[in-house]
Amino acid sequence: MHALTMTRRSLLALTVAFGAFALAGCGGGGGNSSNASSNDRTAGENANANDAGSDQLVVGFSQIGAESAWRTAETKSIRGEAEERGIDCRMADGANDQANQIRSLRTFISQGVDAIILAPVVKTGWDPVLREIKEAGIPVVLVDRGIETSDPSLYATLVAADFVEEGRQAAHWLVKTTGGNATIVELQGTTGSDPAIDRSRGFREVIAQHPDMRIIRAQDGDFRRENGKRILETILKAEQPGTITAVYAHNDDMALGAIRAIEEAGLKPGVDVHVVSIDGIRDAIESVANGKLGCSIECSPLLGPLAFDAVEKLVKGEAVEPRTVVPYQVFEREKAAAELPERQY
Ligand code: AHR
């Protein structure tokens, strides 16, 4: 048993949560609570798995959901890394709902996990539950998205990309490609989420410097491919033909949906409408290589190694950096074609 958590565990040994929220082992089970495998556990069944005195590290992972290919890749990375390190990682899929995530965090407290990895769906509203976690002496590693808090000591570290810079990079590409003249639709990520806020901010900061670049529509597509398609279909029908010349999507899935809508409207993506997005998922890299998606700014979801490096340090009582910035890459056609055979996600 890890020294740091011994007292907490013995204190929590009698606490059993009988919440109905399903938790799936990170090393097995499905991407969400409805399709999880027989490795699934309920909170009641699994409270204090280390009570038997095992040395195995137990980590609760509160995942947002499975809204995009990016997120599926992130889940896989975290599960895979836990398995490799012999960590008992319990994943709770929040189905894109903060209330579900908060419930699962409380379940992790009652189970006396050694650490918690949290991918927060939205930016605000975490302080009360994070305070409870802190009082229980459990370190928190935030992955992929940041939060707004009145007390930064409520979490140990954040491992995530610089979303503002990603937005800026997307805008620079669009300015370069359109010669600084475009009528843009912005497909936004989940309202209130860190990437939706910051990707919009970075993009708009650059676009504002170009008077002939105009964002005429901005809509929340919740990072989902089907929403990207539906929103663009509606906009293309509503606007005069030829009005929309560019689409900026906060993630690749929405961009790929938009490309489908553009083609179904009889237009050519990359010619009639330029599309730029963020993530760098395999389907997007392929689309860039084929000249449909103009550019994808990579935001790596392979966060498992960095997240568990931090977890392992924290449970040993070692210091961690408060922030690790995951670097981006810009994929245009030539680079995408070269990357395709190697693409991991
Ligand atoms: O937080 C990262 C974002 O969330 C990804 O860009 C998007 O695809 C995902 O759903």
Side-chain angles (χ1 to χ4, degrees):
M1 186 176 289
H2 295 270
L4 207 80
T5 57
M6 194 166 348
T7 318
R8 179 170 47 75
R9 277 229 181 102
S10 37
L11 276 173
L12 288 164
L14 295 174
T15 313
V16 178
F18 290 100
F21 203 75
L23 301 178
C26 288
N32 60 44
S33 46
S34 57
N35 66 359
S37 79
S38 56
N39 282 345
D40 295 357
R41 310 164 172 117
T42 62
E45 285 162 0
N46 286 282
N48 307 308
N50 276 354
D51 290 351
S54 152
D55 256 350
Q56 192 182 27
L57 203 62
V58 181
V59 176
F61 171 35
S62 173
Q63 176 60 298
I64 290 168
E67 73 285 358
S68 63
W70 187 97
R71 189 145 311 282
T72 306
E74 187 197 48
T75 298
K76 197 171 159 206
S77 170
I78 290 182
R79 285 178 157 164
E81 194 62 26
E83 206 165 274
E84 216 149 89
R85 297 185 190 213
I87 292 172
D88 176 3
C89 178
R90 299 164 183 191
M91 187 181 108
D93 183 320
N96 292 75
D97 183 338
Q98 185 178 33
N100 288 338
Q101 286 201 279
I102 290 175
R103 255 195 304 281
S104 67
L105 291 171
R106 294 202 166 112
T107 300
F108 293 145
I109 298 174
S110 70
Q111 291 184 342
V113 298
D114 292 296
I116 288 174
I117 298 176
L118 167 62
V121 61
V122 288
K123 232 174 155 166
T124 56
W126 298 99
D127 280 13
V129 71
L130 288 180
R131 242 176 257 125
E132 292 168 37
I133 296 172
K134 191 178 176 187
E135 276 159 22
I138 304 171
V140 174
V141 173
L142 293 183
V143 286
D144 138 37
R145 296 183 183 181
I147 60 166
E148 217 172 275
T149 175
S150 57
D151 178 3
S153 79
L154 293 177
Y155 65 90
T157 184
L158 165 65
V159 177
D162 180 343
F163 297 135
V164 176
E165 187 53 32
E166 290 172 348
R168 287 189 195 117
Q169 291 297 322
H172 285 312
W173 180 85
L174 201 57
V175 169
K176 179 183 82 176
T177 303
T178 61
N181 191 329
T183 310
I184 307 161
V185 171
E186 180 182 2
L187 295 173
Q188 300 182 329
T190 312
T191 300
S193 70
D194 191 22
I197 294 166
D198 283 356
R199 286 173 182 169
S200 201
R201 186 147 65 92
F203 185 77
R204 284 163 183 260
E205 182 189 297
V206 175
I207 294 301
Q209 294 160 22
H210 300 271
D212 293 328
M213 302 285 291
R214 290 182 309 122
I215 301 169
I216 64 158
R217 299 277 198 120
Q219 210 169 315
D220 178 357
D222 201 26
F223 291 118
R224 293 173 193 273
R225 197 173 296 205
E226 63 275 19
N227 292 353
K229 180 170 187 285
R230 185 179 43 74
I231 293 169
L232 213 75
E233 266 167 12
T234 310
I235 292 176
L236 287 174
K237 276 184 196 143
E239 295 292 342
Q240 290 295 321
T243 305
I244 306 298
T245 59
V247 172
Y248 164 48
H250 289 190
N251 81 343
D252 288 340
D253 278 279
M254 292 191 292
L256 293 168
I259 286 172
R260 183 71 74 78
I262 291 165
E263 288 180 316
E264 285 179 8
L267 299 168
K268 257 189 124 187
V271 178
D272 301 313
V273 183
H274 295 287
V275 186
V276 58
S277 60
I278 296 166
D279 272 0
I281 59 168
R282 194 169 208 294
D283 285 359
I285 298 296
E286 198 171 343
S287 184
V288 176
N290 293 334
K292 293 186 179 183
L293 178 59
C295 174
S296 180
I297 316 298
E298 182 191 74
C299 169
S300 177
L302 307 179
L303 303 181
L306 288 171
F308 284 108
D309 281 353
V311 162
E312 288 188 328
K313 279 187 179 168
L314 288 163
V315 295
K316 281 190 230 151
E318 292 173 15
V320 294
E321 290 297 326
R323 173 81 162 102
T324 302
V325 180
V326 181
Y328 69 86
Q329 286 192 71
V330 178
F331 282 98
E332 293 180 79
R333 195 162 188 174
E334 206 177 307
K335 190 168 168 182
E339 172 71 10
L340 207 46
E342 307 299 327
R343 201 65 189 161
Q344 281 185 51
Y345 64 92

